[in-house]
Structures are given as structure tokens and as C-alpha cells.
Amino acid sequence: METVQLRLKGMGCASCAGKIEQAIQSVPGVVECSVNFGAEQATVKYNAKKTNSSDIARAVSDAGYSAHPIQEAGEEEDDAEKAGRKTEEQQLLRKLAVSSALSLLLVAGAIPAMTGLSSHPILNGLHNSWVQLLLASPVQFWAGLPFYRGAWKAFRHRTADMNTLIALGTSAAYFYSLWATVSPGFFLSQGLMPEVYYEASAVIITLTMLGRFLETRARGKTSEAIRKLMGLQAKTARIIRNGRELDIPIAEVAVGDIVQVRPGEKIPVDGEVIAGTSTVDESVITGESLPVTKQAGDEVIGATINKTGSFRFRATRVGKDTALAQIVKLVQQAQGSKAPIQRLADRVTAWFVPAVIALATGTFILWFNFTGNLTLATITTVSVLIIACPCALGLATPTSVTVGIGKAAENGILIKGAGSLELAHQIQTIVLDKTGTLTQGKPGVADFVTVGGTAHRNELKLLRLAAAVESHSEHPLAEAVVKYAEAQGVAKPLPETSNFEAIAGSGVRGMVSDRLVQIGTQRWMDELGIDTLQLHGHKVAWEDSGKTAVFLAVDGELEGIIGIADTLKPSSAEAVSSLQRMGLEVVMLTGDNRRTAEAIAQQVGIERVFAEVRPDQKAAVIQSLQTRGNPSIQNPKYQIQNRIVAMVGDGINDAPALAQADVGIAIGTGTDLAIAASDITLISGDLQTIVTAIRLSRATLRNIRQNLLFAFGYNAAGIPVAAGILFPFFGWLLNPILAGAAMAFSSVSVVTNALRLRQFQA
């Protein structure tokens, strides 16, 4: 299976998107297809043995539209998109300027007839039907040519779309007026005035073009997040080859190249530091505001900014494989996906245009049969055709999704599809893994007490001895002691250690400066005959709070105790509190022992804990929460069947649970498997971004509902008014010009409302 994203051209309304979907799905080998009208993209999953992207693009072309595969994220594609959008805007603007000027003259000439007032001789001259024909024809057949082309294209494929409605409506007004201009005697013989409506057809075309122009500019802003991300990439890289520094274009950097980075420069590609130390601002990728210290062995990410020092690194990922390129690709795919809520709009628009044409035909027949007034029948028919264009309906969902997913990316949240974005706002229970999710994922020294107290003058000397011995061990607890010593400023340089020995399950020992240093468990200390009673109280208290206690002895005498724990992330407690304030049930799920798990849960405010759960059991726990709710809590709101459950994790052992959950949320600092199994990825690993993701999901769905309500409400109210339902009661009809203005306003207002999401604050 392969997936391709196509850039689409030629869509006039949401019904076009449906036709393209049908055309693509008819290609043998296509498994899944989603067309996003707002983003003008199609995401297609297909069997590469049965078809290819060229066949799919050809099917789109045969349906009357054009499509080409979106290239991998890069500057060139971005420039091409900008150039294409600018050309389209310029062409629209030129036609809009000419048609606006001619339409104003036509409206000025129609003022005497509309108001019944006498006017200036020039206006009377403009009122001449032959003059109006001369002014209206360029608007109808030059500015309006795209509508005719689109309508003809749809007709050839036995379909109808927005272009059909515009072409039919304006042609009815134009050719009715032409008939009245050429054969006024026919109308007079029927007792009718030979009135013309050139201004209606011209203004409708002008207003529709204005709507498209504003819509084109607004749509360009919906994908601003993508352009911002692509603009982050450095243009050149300074590499070391044959002992010389060379500045080369970033596209020429190869895996294995040694890259030199100076203070203030962007890191061009992903790599591993081999020399030097610095701090790097990674906020553009992770959303983390504080700079991160980098030294030999640490990974650096392309597009992040080097702050203070200079360093060299070896390129490990370049081009389309960099973290930035992968993020752009994921966001593009997500923006091109379709939200489940859009299915309703799709079902409506599938039959909407044919239904409108049928309704307009019925309107004409009814008015003409009941009144015999050809003018009245024509006006109502034109108004129905114009006001009923389903553009707003088609734009309601995809524009909000595009902006919402782009905004999430700006906040360090990768949402893999519109379905995940929609479902996130319905989450009722959120399950958090402990290690690496709530906690840092690696042990650190939380406490160090000597027999003389924490402020004893020998404390740092003892810590130095302990670090010297532990530096020879590969155990995670040993690494924690060494790092703690480094943080206290006593680890460089460490004294030499001789006769080092690691006793499995017990501890380590060695000779440092002719002194025997032993670090290990109480059981081992008991075996060695070392009395630990003096510090036993610390051991009990620490272990009750989830810490591991190890004793330090020098020359056979107890000297101190070290408390080591997988410490909480700074944001964990606040994130849990925020989720609970949002009405979510927060649960901990971990394979760790119950005492440690409950100690951590108490620190962050989680009441319900599943501990000592094997990796193969985690998915079953998620399933039980989905189907049975939470019977242990008396609150009625938690006694709901089929609850929407989210799982947050970072390790390989979390992957089955992430896949089982309705919404899987992976910590970006975790394993590739966990990220692949998830629906949402938090790049920075900061739990507070879960809160941001859910709030953004709620804001996006609220925005979509507003758009759909407006679009449905607009058509529901506008079509009856246009059809003249109110005429018997109030004696007035909807002018076709007002219908055109309302149609243009509806599309622009929906897109504008979607763009409000760009103001979302985390």
C-alpha cells in the first residue's frame, strides 16, 4: 500500500469534491480516498501493484479537473504554490476590476427604472437597453467565461455544480434581457413591459468573482502553518570536507557530512553532536521555550537555532528524512484528510445542485402558470439558482480542519488526521502511562543524607567518592549518582578507582584514594555487617514515596543514604489538574509496582491507578474502560457505557494500548513504534500540550458547528425567500443582485470564521 497526496485544480464547489472522490475510487487498486475541498487536496491510499499516481491523476483529468502529486516538503514547491496562487489572484483581480466598473455603469443606468425618478441625461443614456447590452456582454462572456467552461465540463460528464447554477442563472437574466431588447413588440403584445435585467446578470457574476477572490486569498491563509514550517529550514550548510569549511546548499548535504554551526545560526539538518557544547532553541519544533543544552552524543534537529556556543555534528538525516520534513508531511496529510462530521455535508452536496435546478424549474413553472408573468417567473428562478450555491456548505468543515491542524503543529502537536482532531473533543477518560509520560523516564537522585546530616562538611567529599565508584558501573542508578555529582560540581575530575567490582542485585565497591567505598542495598549492608539503623527511617519514608534507597559505606562504616527516583516532569501535576478541571477522568496505567505507582499518583492528584500491568494486558485495561466505564467512582457521569478513552504513552510496551484507545497520544520523545501507533504526537513530551490539544479540538469542532449552522441556515432561509414564498404576504421579491451578494457573503464568512482559529492561544 502507498499513499499519495494530490493538488487539485478546477473545483468550483463542494459537489466537485464528491465527483473527484467518485472518479478516484473507481480506479482499480484504490483503497481509500479523501478529497478536501477547502485545502484543494486529495489523499489517496492505493495498491501499488494495481495502479499508480499517474493513473489516479488521469482519472481526475477525465472527470474534468486537474491533479498533480504534491512533492516532498521543500522550498521549491512552496515557491511554486505561491507563484500559482499569485497568478490566480492577479487574473481574478483584473477581471474583477473590469466587471466591477461595467456593473456600476449598468446599475447607474437601471436607477431610473428601479426608483421611478427622473435622472440626469447621462443616466438616461445608460438606461438604453442597447447600451446596457454593450456594457453587459463583456462581463457575461469574458469575465464569466470560467463559469461557462465549468458548466460545460460538468455537463459533458453528466453532472452539475456551482458553475452550472451561476451559468444558468445569469444566462437566464441576460438572454431574457436580450430578447426584450431585440423583440420588445412581443412583450408589448402580451401586455408586458420589455424590461431588461442586464445589471442583475453582470452584478451576480461580479459578486461571485469577488467571493472567489476573497475565498482564494483566505484559503491561502489556511495553510499558513505549512508555509511557516517550510520557511524554518536553513538555506545553506557549512560542512567540513578535506579539512576545509565549505558553504553549500542544504540540498547537497549528505548523511555522514560533518557540519559546523556557529552561535545564532540555524542548524541545517538532523544530526549528532561530535564536538563542542552549546544551548539550542528547539521551540520551533517542540514548542519548548527554554533552550536545551547540547554536548557530544546529543541529537540536534534541523531548523532549530543554536544560541551560545559553537559545535560540530555529524549529519544523520537529510532532505525528506529530517524531523522538519516529516512534520510537514504529516501535517499536509492530516490537513488533506476528512473529518467524520463532514460526511453529513458531503451527503447533502451530492444531491444539492440537481435538487436546486429542479426547484428552480418548478419555481418558474409555478409562477408563470399562476401569474402568466414571464418577468416575475424569471426573477424568482434566477434568484433561486444564484442563492442556493453550496459553496459555504463545502467549505464549512475542511477550512476549520486545515487551520486547526496547522495551529496544532505550531504548538508542537502532530495530529495525524481530521478524525483524530474531531474525536479528541469527545474524550471522557484519559489514561496516562507513568514512566516517561508523567515522569522523566530515567532515574535521578532525589535525596542525599549523610550520618552527619544534609549540611555535613563531608557531604561533598562522600558524594565524590560515591561518584568515582559508580562511574565504572553501567547500571541506570549508577548513572543517576554520577549525574547528580556533576550537578553538584564535584565530578570533574573524579579520582581513580581500583579493584572495582559490581555484585549483581546488591551493589558496587572499589578502592578510591586507599579507601574502600561500598554502595548498595540494605540486605547487602547487613551481609557485610554494616549497621544501617541510624538511617533506616529515611529508607522507609523514601520507599513509601516510591524512591529507591541505596546505602553508602566507607571503610566498613555507614556514611550516608541516597534516594533515587524517576522524578516527575515539571508539568505533570498541573496538566493532570487541568484535565480534571475540564471534566475528564484521569487514570494511571503502569507496569511498575503498586507502592511506587500510588506514590506518584498521589503527587499528581490521580485517584485511580492500574499498577503491575504487563504490556500485553494494557490493551485489555483500555478496552474495559471503554466498555464498562468506571464503576469504582460514584459520580454518575462516569457510569456511561462506551466511553471515549484516550491513552498517553511513550514506550514500545504502550503501543498496543495506544492502538486500542479511541485516541492514542504518543510522547514525541518516546519510541518510533509508540508514535506510529498513535493518533496524536506531542513533540516536546510536555504533558501540558495534551490540554492544549483537547482545547484546540473543542475550539475546532465549535468552529465547524458554527460554519455548518450558518451554511445550512443560510440555504434553508434563502431558498424559500428567493422562490418568492413571502411575495403573497409582503408583496416583494428577492432581487437577483441581492441573491448574488448573499451567496458570495456566505462563502467568505465561513472561511473568515474558520480563520479565527488562528488566534487560538494555548
Side-chain angles (χ1 to χ4, degrees), residues 254-571:
V255 172
D257 276 341
I258 305 302
V259 184
Q260 175 74 42
V261 184
R262 295 173 181 168
E265 292 182 338
K266 281 185 179 179
I267 297 170
V269 295
D270 298 358
E272 181 180 331
V273 178
I274 58 173
T277 304
S278 183
T279 55
V280 175
D281 179 358
E282 296 184 338
S283 60
V284 294
I285 300 295
T286 66
E288 175 58 56
S289 58
L290 295 176
V292 181
T293 301
K294 300 291 182 181
Q295 55 191 6
D298 289 337
E299 289 188 356
V300 289
I301 306 171
T304 56
I305 301 171
N306 183 32
K307 301 293 285 184
T308 54
S310 63
F311 60 89
R312 290 183 180 183
F313 71 92
R314 181 178 290 105
T316 56
R317 290 188 295 271
V318 300
K320 65 180 182 180
D321 296 323
T322 63
L324 178 65
Q326 292 299 310
I327 289 170
V328 170
K329 185 177 180 180
L330 278 171
V331 175
Q332 283 178 328
Q333 289 176 348
Q335 288 184 333
S337 63
K338 184 177 291 185
I341 198 172
Q342 193 174 337
R343 291 174 191 148
L344 173 62
D346 287 348
R347 285 197 296 269
V348 172
T349 52
W351 55 260
F352 197 85
V353 173
V356 168
I357 293 173
L359 182 61
T361 304
T363 300
F364 180 87
I365 293 169
L366 284 173
W367 277 106
F368 188 70
N369 283 344
F370 279 107
T371 66
N373 191 326
L374 184 62
T375 301
L376 191 63
T378 302
I379 289 174
T380 53
T381 301
V382 171
S383 294
V384 169
L385 287 170
I386 300 303
I387 203 169
C389 287
C391 297
L393 201 56
L395 289 166
T397 300
T399 46
S400 297
V401 166
T402 301
V403 177
I405 287 175
K407 195 67 186 176
E410 290 179 16
N411 284 279
I413 303 164
L414 290 185
I415 299 175
K416 293 187 179 177
S420 304
L421 178 67
E422 178 178 336
L423 196 57
H425 90 287
Q426 298 176 331
I427 293 171
Q428 297 160 298
T429 297
I430 188 157
V431 181
L432 304 176
D433 175 48
K434 181 183 77 69
T435 307
T437 300
L438 285 166
T439 66
Q440 299 285 4
K442 50 188 177 181
V445 173
D447 298 284
F448 176 44
V449 177
T450 67
V451 291
T454 55
H456 193 267
R457 67 179 184 274
N458 289 326
E459 179 185 357
L460 294 182
K461 291 180 181 178
L462 291 170
L463 182 59
R464 184 177 171 84
L465 292 175
V469 175
E470 294 282 29
S471 65
H472 292 268
S473 172
E474 296 179 353
H475 195 282
L477 297 185
E479 184 183 353
V481 173
V482 174
K483 285 193 173 181
Y484 179 71
E486 288 176 353
Q488 301 301 313
V490 299
K492 290 184 180 180
L494 288 171
E496 291 293 328
T497 301
S498 60
N499 300 326
F500 173 81
E501 184 182 4
I503 296 88
S506 297
V508 294
R509 61 187 169 196
M511 297 297 296
V512 182
S513 303
D514 296 326
R515 304 191 73 182
L516 174 62
V517 179
Q518 297 161 308
I519 308 168
T521 64
Q522 181 176 4
R523 178 179 53 80
W524 189 44
M525 293 290 154
D526 292 342
E527 290 174 1
L528 295 171
I530 298 173
D531 184 8
T532 60
L533 184 61
Q534 189 175 352
L535 297 175
H536 184 72
H538 290 288
K539 173 185 179 295
V540 173
W542 290 353
E543 288 184 346
D544 284 343
S545 63
K547 299 172 187 174
T548 299
V550 293
F551 290 93
L552 167 64
V554 179
D555 294 332
E557 295 290 333
L558 181 69
E559 293 289 350
I561 185 172
I562 303 171
I564 301 174
D566 183 4
T567 55
L568 281 173
K569 291 180 179 178
S571 60

